[in-house]
Amino acid sequence: MKITVSKKEFLDALKIVNKACAVKPATPILSGIYLKASSSCLELQATDYTLGIIAKIPANVEVEGETVIVGKKLLEIVQKLSGEVVTISTQENSAEIFSGGSKFSLLIMNAEDFPKIKVEESDEKITLRQVQLKNLVSKTAFAASKDDSRPIFTGVLLKFEDENLTQIGGCN
């Protein structure tokens, strides 16, 4: 795999996906972020079996491929990079990360061992204006937990029934 991405977009996606990485994993693969490069897209996935997050960002993909890199280390490295773009190149057992004048090498894990997140497709869709969604979240977000040790409690529950959308503060 060999890709080049915008540091800002990559960092934003890493911050989001990293929230699903297991803190004290039963298996080491759950501490990693799955990266899949295809056509002009980089897909990032993380899961701890209770929570799964997927993010996709545009990328210049020179060589398609997939790998798993320890999420915490990858996030720490990308945060400290000085360049505007990040290049990731994988070999047999390692990933090289380049940006500006910096170069890092990290061990990688086998992508085939990563538990893929199943995305359920639905014909039902809802469209909201951004201001409406922001208003809904701001009215109930106070009830969500700020403790990251249980990520499932850091969100809010949205219920769709018929033509109505109901929001409940905190997830139950």
Side-chain angles (χ1 to χ4, degrees):
M1 177 175 92
K2 186 170 184 184
I3 57 159
T4 304
V5 293
S6 156
K7 177 190 168 189
K8 183 187 179 330
E9 289 178 347
F10 189 41
L11 185 57
D12 289 345
L14 279 174
K15 286 179 181 177
I16 292 167
V17 171
N18 196 52
K19 292 181 185 296
C21 287
V23 179
K24 296 179 182 175
T27 59
I29 198 81
L30 295 179
S31 67
I33 294 178
Y34 169 83
L35 304 172
K36 181 179 180 183
S38 58
S39 58
S40 60
C41 179
L42 175 65
E43 180 178 308
L44 299 87
Q45 291 187 20
T47 185
D48 64 0
Y49 288 129
T50 22
L51 175 67
I53 299 176
I54 300 172
K56 294 181 182 182
I57 59 170
N60 178 10
V61 179
E62 292 180 41
V63 179
E64 293 185 354
E66 57 185 357
T67 191
V68 178
I69 302 175
V70 175
K72 184 178 177 183
K73 286 291 177 201
L74 183 58
L75 179 60
E76 287 174 4
I77 288 171
V78 174
Q79 284 176 326
K80 294 178 181 175
L81 294 174
S82 60
E84 295 296 315
V85 295
V86 177
T87 300
I88 300 175
S89 176
T90 59
Q91 288 77 41
E92 288 181 29
N93 297 324
S94 66
E96 307 254 323
I97 301 168
F98 305 92
S99 182
S102 303
K103 176 184 171 185
F104 294 89
S105 183
L106 292 172
L107 292 176
I108 58 176
M109 295 178 264
N110 189 349
E112 293 174 8
D113 296 337
F114 190 83
K116 303 300 184 294
I117 300 170
K118 293 181 184 177
V119 179
E120 295 189 25
E121 296 294 324
S122 173
D123 293 335
E124 298 178 31
K125 298 188 190 280
I126 183 167
T127 304
L128 291 175
R129 290 191 192 114
Q130 180 183 359
V131 76
Q132 290 173 313
L133 182 60
K134 186 176 179 180
N135 188 25
L136 274 172
V137 172
S138 68
K139 289 181 178 179
T140 56
F142 69 91
S145 173
K146 291 177 180 38
D147 180 8
D148 281 342
S149 65
R150 300 281 308 268
I152 194 72
F153 295 122
T154 61
V156 291
L157 175 65
L158 298 175
K159 276 187 169 181
F160 301 94
E161 295 175 317
D162 301 323
E163 299 278 324
N164 300 318
L165 170 64
T166 307
Q167 183 176 8
I168 302 169
C171 291
N172 340 6

